[in-house]
Amino acid sequence: MIALKHISRLYRSDEIETTALLDVNLSINRGEFVAIMGPSGCGKSTLLNILGTIDRPTTGAYMFEGADLATMSEAGLAEHRANHLGFIFQSFNLVDDLTIRENIELGLLYRKNLSGSRKAMVEEAMDQVGIAHRARHYPHQLSGGQQQRAAIARAIVGAPSLLLADEPTGNLDSENGHQVMEILKSLNAGGVTVIMVTHSQSQADQASRVVNILDGRMVLSVNRVPA
Amino acid sequence: MIKNTLLTFYRVTVRHPLYAGLNLLGLSFGIAVFVTLSLYAHFETSFESWVPNADKIYDVGILWTLPGRPAQQSTTSMGGMLDQMHEDYPDLVGTRILEFNATVHLGSDVVQEKEQLVDPDFFKLFDLPLAAGSKQGALEPGRIMLTESMARKYFGRVDVVGETLRLSDDEGALNYTVSAVLRDIPRNTDRNFDFVRLLTPESHKLMNDYWMHWGSASLLTFVRFDTQAEADHFQAGLDDFVDRKGASEARNGVPYHTSESLHLLKLRNLHLRDKQSAAAVVTLALVGLLSFFVAAINFINLSTARAGMRAREVAVRRTLGATRGDLRLQFLGEALLMTLAALIAGLSIVELSLPIINATGGLGLSLDYRHQAGFLALLTGGVLVLGLLAGIYPAMVLSGFQPAQVLASSRSPSGGRFGMRVREALVVVQFAVVIAFFVLTWGFERQIDHMKSADLGFQRSGLMIVRADDPAMTLASVQSVITAFRQVPGVSLASVSNYAPGDESYTSGGNIKLPGDTGAETNLTYAAVGPDFFATYGARLVVGRFLDEAHGDETPVAEDSSETIVIGRKAMQSIGFRTPEEALGKTLRQGKRALQIVGVIEDLNFRSPKDETLPMFYYFHRELKNNQIVAIRYDGVAEPEMRRRLTDAWRQAVPDVPAKLVSADENLDQYYKPDRNRSNLFSAGAVVAALVGCIGLYGMAAFTASRRMLEVAVRKVLGASRRMLISLLVGSFLRPVLIANLVAVPVAYLVLSKWLIQFNDHIGITAVPFLVGGGTAILVAAATVGMLAWNAANSAPGRALRSE
């Protein structure tokens, strides 16, 4: 499904050149649950952003189901994100001024050629994460766990083939963190490819593969059978 | 997508009422001021534009160039001039308009109305629409036209053709048959056609002496030319025409047109012929534009600042697949919706305030959605452009953010140093305008107060004036009125003269030969005064004595006689005397007449304080022949009661002439009225601009304070005291306000001094308004920002830091 070939990402400011990623090669198959691990500042989030096409590699090729995303236009990438990707963030990033339902509906807003009823899709996503009873509330009225479940609903409402999660449980207590992990696992079981950045070994243990990054290089990729 | 834009706009508005309210309020007030002042400018510049073919109609005005006096343009002309023009230009189409105060007799009641006497060609120039009757034969002897309002007033209905009306004017009291009813004349006019009838030789018999006397000007003469070329050609021949017809007035072989030349003035330009009025209208239009400008800056500032706080939302939308185009559309759409809402609110404010403005200013401003469609379309267009401007910046900047970077940080990107600089510059411009407005308003108000309290050489309080110049009044009836007034309890003195406060016209005494053999001449103005004139007005004698019967001051009729005069200080200077003492006893020559100066007084300023003081001399007549104006000095009685008593006394003495009593203050007030109207409109504009400026500053400060929460928290952790934090936040906002002061002070000074120069007697510019205006701006800014800074400085640092 995904093939990263010799991906590097350099950041240049006036005098300093920082290497965030160096010559990363990574293939991910449909249906995998990949955990990306590594210490702070190692380039995990850069890798996730490149996978999510909200950052471009400096060099290298990014093939997604046969299409080269590294050279695709901005508009093409936007369409790609709308049709194929779902994002989950550590700080939820719900829009304050929209209700939970409206936030989730945002996940469909930029999709063209939408088949089926938008309303039904939103209802289904809310049911899937158990947030339907909060549909008319605003994000600040919800607990962290509820906000993250709403954010997941927004990410999956368009039935993406790839779900990108950047420390999705980082701002949650263990009980809510556990719930979120369960949702991700069940989505994965339903066929969605999940790539998740995490600090937690116990969460990484629940993935089907662990990729370790250190100082911008991929140091280890371990396939494991989920417990 | 549109639905989502509407939803987001609605949510942002409802959930951030302070921001939305400030933004909407500021812009709608700005729009309201702009629209109102534009309407005012439109009103003032549209005078007579409603007259069909107004561009083809010209007034023949006179440019007087008299020795010792600045050149002066008048709109009036000699009564018989049009007849003389017809001798030389038989095809000329023209009409005279002679205005009278006519008395309408309604049973035993008498009402004074304005009557216009016109020539048979009247309708060929002023093709006024009729409500009833026909133009054919409307202007024949014995017939009269009147407006709808007058028809309703006197008959209770509009179609009154064939009815009879009794009217007295110079021709005496006569019955007239109504020949036609004119539609009411719009408010934007200086020509009040209330009662219109034919100008006949009988109707100007009292003016016979001056009817064909070059050097006189008693009525308006209008001519019509279909093309500019024809008008230019006619104009080119006017100097020769004047020299031919006015040959008898020429002196020492100098062609007469060098003293009195004729000029065609476009009908449409007559109203703002006076440069000061024109400048005032332009100024007000500019104030309107500036108010809108300030509000627009404010709007853009707040919109972009607010949008900057939505960077995270933008980043999220981009991860969801929004293109830059989608986001640009969203922000543009939101800004356009906001400006449209402000436009509607602004127009509502205008609709609500116009009746008040019209009532206080005597104006006829209206928002006419059908006839001013062009203006409204332009306004809507301007507002939409503003919406685009306010939307484009955030649309461009925000859609250009790298979502990865925005999402990686818990802080919102600021739009960079450039954005901050732009916003600071906008605050500078805004506050500079507000401070300049304050200084100018102060200056305008002070000048108007100054004019009202200026020394006019006579005592204004306790002085009533009544014109006894109705043609129906005889010498005897004027005397009986004066006698009756003198018996009214509270009245101490009553006198008569042919010149009084509020007079627009004056009589030139012609060129006066100065003492000595140099042959030098100067032009003086004179007034004939009756017994007690100087005492009644409370004039102040400098040297010599006032005129009275006891000294035998009665002016002889013979033209080669000698008479005694009193002169004003200005005349003294104009003649060339250095001191009043030097003038006393000297003799001037007016033609064959010898004028001996027996007294010098402080100048009596009866005209507008804008005008130069006239060089006047006064001579004595126990009884005036015509144009009598009675002045009454009273004491110890309230004005309304005195007005009632005098009106009663008048009715007893001359029952068939309406009493037109005015106080000296009222009489003078007419001169201040346009200035006060304009000053009021200006103040309204200035206040709104200031309000909008403060709203904007508050919004900006609130925005900045919230952005700097983290910085404040860090500084707190590092041990900064509350006082240090507040001064830090306030200080950063005072800088643009201080710069604004530096910009505003010289500009305001220049504009104010230019404006003041037009007044003959004007106030000096002190540092006070600059200090007060600048100080207030700084205080207001410090207070608004300080309040927010206080909150920020008091917040717990933990919360702000945790979200990092």
Side-chain angles (χ1 to χ4, degrees), chain B residues 108-169:
Chain B
S108 64
D109 226 5
V110 284
V111 189
Q112 201 172 61
E113 298 287 4
K114 284 204 155 60
E115 183 192 30
Q116 284 77 23
L117 307 192
V118 303
D119 283 310
D121 276 352
F122 176 74
F123 280 118
K124 289 187 187 164
L125 290 99
F126 296 92
D127 194 11
L128 305 179
L130 299 184
S134 109
K135 288 171 189 168
Q136 198 70 42
L139 289 168
E140 276 176 12
R143 299 183 148 204
I144 197 162
M145 298 190 290
L146 70 177
T147 56
E148 280 176 86
S149 307
M150 289 298 139
R152 282 205 195 87
K153 180 171 172 184
Y154 289 100
F155 300 99
R157 62 202 160 83
V158 173
D159 189 356
V160 295
V161 174
E163 294 286 345
T164 307
L165 203 65
R166 190 166 178 77
L167 204 96
S168 49
D169 52 28

Side-chain angles (χ1 to χ4, degrees), chain B residues 424-691:
Chain B
E424 191 167 308
L426 292 177
V427 170
V428 168
V429 171
Q430 208 173 26
F431 262 77
V433 170
V434 170
I435 293 165
F437 274 9
F438 178 87
V439 172
L440 292 178
T441 308
W442 180 91
F444 295 172
E445 296 290 335
R446 281 289 312 275
Q447 175 63 29
I448 290 168
D449 284 350
H450 174 75
M451 290 193 296
K452 289 188 74 178
S453 61
D455 178 14
L456 300 174
F458 66 99
Q459 207 189 326
R460 260 181 295 165
S461 59
L463 185 63
M464 279 284 192
I465 289 159
V466 57
R467 292 186 173 266
D469 54 357
D470 192 285
M473 294 197 66
T474 60
L475 232 58
S477 58
V478 173
Q479 284 310 317
S480 67
V481 162
I482 293 174
T483 309
F485 282 164
R486 284 185 177 136
Q487 282 155 11
V488 169
V491 170
S492 53
L493 287 166
S495 81
V496 70
S497 63
N498 65 3
Y499 189 49
D503 265 4
E504 286 290 355
S505 63
Y506 56 84
T507 323
S508 164
N511 296 345
I512 305 285
K513 268 213 177 64
L514 309 185
D517 302 323
T518 58
E521 291 184 330
T522 191
N523 189 276
L524 301 181
T525 302
Y526 67 81
V529 303
D532 294 334
F533 170 82
F534 296 103
T536 306
Y537 277 97
R540 295 197 300 278
L541 191 64
V542 183
V543 291
R545 61 174 179 83
F546 291 142
L547 300 169
D548 58 40
E549 270 183 292
H551 285 86
D553 290 322
E554 180 64 28
T555 302
V557 182
E559 287 210 353
D560 54 355
S561 59
S562 172
E563 64 182 282
T564 48
I565 59 168
V566 161
I567 63 172
R569 222 178 239 282
K570 173 86 177 184
M572 175 198 94
Q573 289 159 356
S574 159
I575 298 164
F577 295 122
R578 279 183 301 266
T579 62
E581 288 73 18
E582 190 189 336
L584 197 63
K586 295 290 191 310
T587 300
L588 311 173
R589 299 210 71 88
Q590 176 191 30
K592 291 175 187 165
R593 231 175 243 264
L595 313 170
Q596 196 205 351
I597 301 167
V598 297
V600 179
I601 58 167
E602 295 293 352
D603 284 312
L604 296 174
N605 284 309
F606 285 170
R607 287 151 57 81
S608 167
K610 273 189 187 176
D611 296 348
E612 50 141 6
T613 305
L614 290 175
M616 295 279 300
F617 73 85
Y618 304 85
Y619 65 90
F620 186 86
H621 269 308
R622 202 177 65 78
E623 287 181 332
L624 268 60
K625 293 286 183 305
N626 51 35
N627 210 21
Q628 302 97 327
I629 305 161
V630 182
I632 305 109
R633 167 70 55 198
Y634 66 93
D635 199 12
V637 183
E639 195 205 289
E641 172 59 18
M642 180 48 65
R643 196 182 285 264
R644 202 186 55 74
R645 287 183 196 176
L646 291 174
T647 309
D648 285 350
W650 174 284
R651 283 208 186 113
Q652 297 273 321
V654 273
D656 35 324
V657 178
K660 289 281 260 186
L661 278 157
V662 281
S663 70
D665 273 329
E666 280 174 323
N667 228 337
L668 218 60
D669 217 37
Q670 57 171 323
Y671 295 127
Y672 310 125
K673 207 168 181 227
D675 281 312
R676 202 177 26 239
N677 278 343
R678 287 167 192 152
S679 177
N680 284 346
L681 282 172
F682 186 90
S683 306
V687 165
V688 168
L691 202 75

